[in-house]
Amino acid sequence: MQELTEQTLAPGLTGRVELTVTDADTAQAVGSGDVPVLGTPRVLALAEAATVAATARHLPSGSTTVGTRVELEHRAATPVGRTVAAQARLTEVDRRRLVFEITVTDGGQTVAEGRVERALVDRHRFLERAGGAP
């Protein structure tokens, strides 16, 4: 799998996802606070979705990625009805370890940024070890 990783996953890959904030995305709804603005757990989920989008078409057959480490600075509140976009850029590939830089914006304003690390794994073996193999 290491050889395939070097051929298919290279720094520079990007992914982008958007979310229009609803009541279900607020800190109140997800249990991370008591205000009706985009909750940090939803920001993190959006950032991870962008990393998945960046590599989705480039993974070796039978492989997937799993999150292993996150550093996230949630800088600004986003009210219900606004649309935020998460952009992920793959900056480092170290064998199975993938490092992404993340930016989440609302219009021209950066509302969050950080770094997400993921590991490239064999999907079947991973599920077997987790006790959830089909």
Side-chain angles (χ1 to χ4, degrees):
M1 184 166 19
Q2 180 179 351
E3 186 175 316
L4 284 173
T5 302
E6 291 172 3
Q7 293 174 1
T8 58
L9 295 173
L13 293 176
T14 61
R16 185 176 189 276
V17 294
E18 291 186 357
L19 171 74
T20 299
V21 180
T22 68
D23 289 334
D25 302 308
T26 64
Q28 286 173 322
V30 299
S32 66
D34 64 0
V35 289
V37 297
L38 180 61
T40 302
R42 289 296 289 133
V43 173
L44 173 56
L46 190 66
E48 285 199 294
T51 66
V52 170
T55 60
R57 295 183 317 222
H58 304 278
L59 295 177
S61 179
S63 298
T64 191
T65 63
V66 294
T68 58
R69 181 180 170 96
V70 174
E71 296 173 25
L72 183 69
E73 183 179 352
H74 191 176
R75 297 179 172 184
T78 305
V80 170
R82 298 285 300 187
T83 298
V84 292
Q87 177 83 25
R89 185 172 58 85
L90 182 60
T91 59
E92 183 181 344
V93 178
D94 181 10
R95 298 182 310 172
R96 297 183 318 111
R97 182 175 154 264
L98 310 174
V99 180
F100 298 85
E101 294 296 325
I102 304 297
T103 304
V104 181
T105 56
D106 174 0
Q109 180 185 17
T110 298
V111 296
E113 62 184 354
R115 186 173 132 140
V116 172
E117 293 186 20
R118 298 185 70 81
L120 180 66
V121 299
D122 177 279
R123 178 187 305 273
H124 183 71
R125 264 190 260 147
F126 179 83
L127 288 173
E128 276 184 342
R129 289 182 182 161

